[in-house]
């Protein structure tokens, strides 16, 4: 069974890391169940293992945390649903690439409950939405904005860190970084797209779609 935890207050980043590392060790040892943690953080930036210092354009704007997850700089803050995913990847096939694809598919399926189509793009981490309401790109293609970021870490084949979905964050707060190192595309949120969606609505969609992507039975 997977334990679901929902925090009703913003969680300090260091507190979240301590919890995840402890739970991941317990899962690896077989002394605790897998866990999905739904939460918000106070405004902050995190630097993944591939972060480039030049992409931190306003280092004094919010606290900056060095993270051991994959990826580059990202923002977390109120109105963003952070989904920390502590799952035993060894028992789910020992396939990291497939696991990340499942995380992407999970986000896309949850977004579909709000009639929103998410896309995966080669060379661009995260989940993207097309913006026909914006000017086309120089190559003639539709403009696209990121709506969800994905970055994980594995320890003893147990995942932690995970996903962030922009529900109703202050999008101006992304201005202190180059999100995920990608300058030519923007960020958006469900509310920015005109969808009156709450964090609780997203939680329901995530819980409903989880087992459609991740098999209930594990090896």
């Amino acid at each position: 069974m997977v334990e679901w935890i929902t925090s009703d207050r913003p969680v300090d980043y260091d507190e979240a890391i301590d919890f995840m590392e402890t739970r991941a060790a317990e899962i690896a040892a077989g002394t605790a169940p897998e866990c999905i943690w739904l939460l918000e953080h106070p405004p902050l930036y995190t630097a993944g293992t591939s972060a480039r210092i030049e992409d931190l354009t306003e280092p004094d704007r919010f606290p900056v945390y060095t993270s051991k997850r994959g990826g580059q700089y990202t923002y977390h803050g109120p109105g963003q649903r952070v989904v920390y995913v502590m799952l035993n990847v060894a028992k789910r096939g020992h396939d990291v690439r497939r696991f990340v694809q499942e995380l992407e598919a999970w986000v896309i399926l949850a977004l579909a409950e709000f009639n929103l189509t998410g896309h995966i793009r080669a060379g661009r981490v995260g989940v993207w939405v097309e913006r026909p309401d914006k000017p086309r790109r120089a190559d003639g293609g539709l403009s696209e904005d990121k709506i969800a970021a994905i970055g994980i870490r594995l320890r003893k084949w147990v995942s932690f860190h995970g996903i962030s979905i922009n529900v109703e964050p202050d999008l101006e707060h992304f201005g202190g970084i180059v999100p995920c190192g990608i300058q030519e595309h923007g960020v958006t949120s469900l509310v920015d797209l005109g969808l009156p969606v709450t964090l609780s609505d997203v939680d329901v969609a995530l819980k409903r779609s989880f087992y459609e992507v991740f098999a209930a039975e594990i090896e």
Side-chain angles (χ1 to χ4, degrees), residues 13 16-17 20 35-39 41 46 48 67-72 74-76 80-87 89 99-104 106-107 125-127 146-154 158-165 180 206 210 214:
Y13 190 74
I17 296 299
M20 285 192 288
C35 179
I36 306 292
W37 188 9
L38 306 171
L39 68 147
H41 283 306
T46 66
S67 172
K68 296 178 181 178
R69 62 160 174 80
Q72 301 187 40
T74 193
Y75 165 77
H76 294 313
Q80 182 187 72
R81 177 49 85 215
V82 175
V83 187
Y84 285 140
V85 180
M86 290 151 274
L87 297 177
V89 180
F99 180 68
V100 172
Q101 290 172 342
E102 288 174 332
L103 292 176
E104 294 168 341
W106 181 25
V107 173
V125 179
V127 178
K146 175 178 278 191
I147 196 163
I150 296 174
I152 64 165
R153 179 173 172 80
L154 295 184
V158 176
S159 68
F160 54 110
H161 296 281
I163 299 164
S164 59
I165 302 173
C180 298
L206 287 167
F210 178 79
F214 294 91

Side-chain angles (χ1 to χ4, degrees), residues 131-144:
R131 299 298 305 269
D133 56 312
K134 288 188 171 184
R136 286 182 174 266
R137 303 195 307 262
D139 63 4
L142 287 174
S143 292
E144 296 181 347

Side-chain angles (χ1 to χ4, degrees), residues 12 105 123 129 148 210 213:
D12 177 78
V129 294
F210 178 79
V213 177

Side-chain angles (χ1 to χ4, degrees), residues 17-216:
I17 296 299
D18 288 345
F19 177 90
M20 285 192 288
E21 291 187 345
T22 299
R23 176 52 80 79
E26 292 171 346
I27 293 169
T31 59
E34 297 178 306
C35 179
I36 306 292
W37 188 9
L38 306 171
L39 68 147
E40 295 173 278
H41 283 306
L44 58 91
Y45 297 130
T46 66
T49 55
S50 301
R52 300 172 300 189
I53 190 61
E54 61 267 26
D55 289 339
L56 180 61
T57 57
E58 295 184 34
D60 298 324
R61 187 168 186 176
F62 297 123
V64 180
Y65 294 86
T66 299
S67 172
K68 296 178 181 178
R69 62 160 174 80
Q72 301 187 40
Y73 281 103
T74 193
Y75 165 77
H76 294 313
Q80 182 187 72
R81 177 49 85 215
V82 175
V83 187
Y84 285 140
V85 180
M86 290 151 274
L87 297 177
N88 192 327
V89 180
K91 292 184 176 180
R92 295 174 181 273
H94 277 98
D95 189 332
V96 178
R97 181 183 296 272
R98 187 184 78 180
F99 180 68
V100 172
Q101 290 172 342
E102 288 174 332
L103 292 176
E104 294 168 341
W106 181 25
V107 173
I108 288 171
L109 195 59
L111 293 176
E113 296 212 8
F114 308 107
N115 295 315
L116 184 63
T117 301
H119 300 274
I120 302 304
R121 300 304 191 207
R124 281 193 263 141
V125 179
V127 178
W128 300 79
V129 294
E130 295 179 340
R131 299 298 305 269
D133 56 312
K134 288 188 171 184
R136 286 182 174 266
R137 303 195 307 262
D139 63 4
L142 287 174
S143 292
E144 296 181 347
D145 288 340
K146 175 178 278 191
I147 196 163
I150 296 174
I152 64 165
R153 179 173 172 80
L154 295 184
R155 182 175 295 162
K156 295 183 178 179
W157 284 101
V158 176
S159 68
F160 54 110
H161 296 281
I163 299 164
S164 59
I165 302 173
N166 296 331
V167 181
E168 193 179 7
D170 185 337
L171 295 178
E172 291 186 359
H173 288 179
F174 286 87
I177 57 172
V178 178
C180 298
I182 300 172
Q183 292 184 324
E184 62 270 27
H185 299 281
V187 292
T188 189
S189 70
L190 287 157
V191 171
D192 181 53
L193 293 169
L195 299 169
V197 176
T198 67
L199 292 173
S200 296
D201 294 331
V202 171
D203 294 348
V204 170
L206 287 167
K207 291 176 182 178
R208 190 155 44 209
S209 57
F210 178 79
Y211 285 110
E212 295 185 43
V213 177
F214 294 91

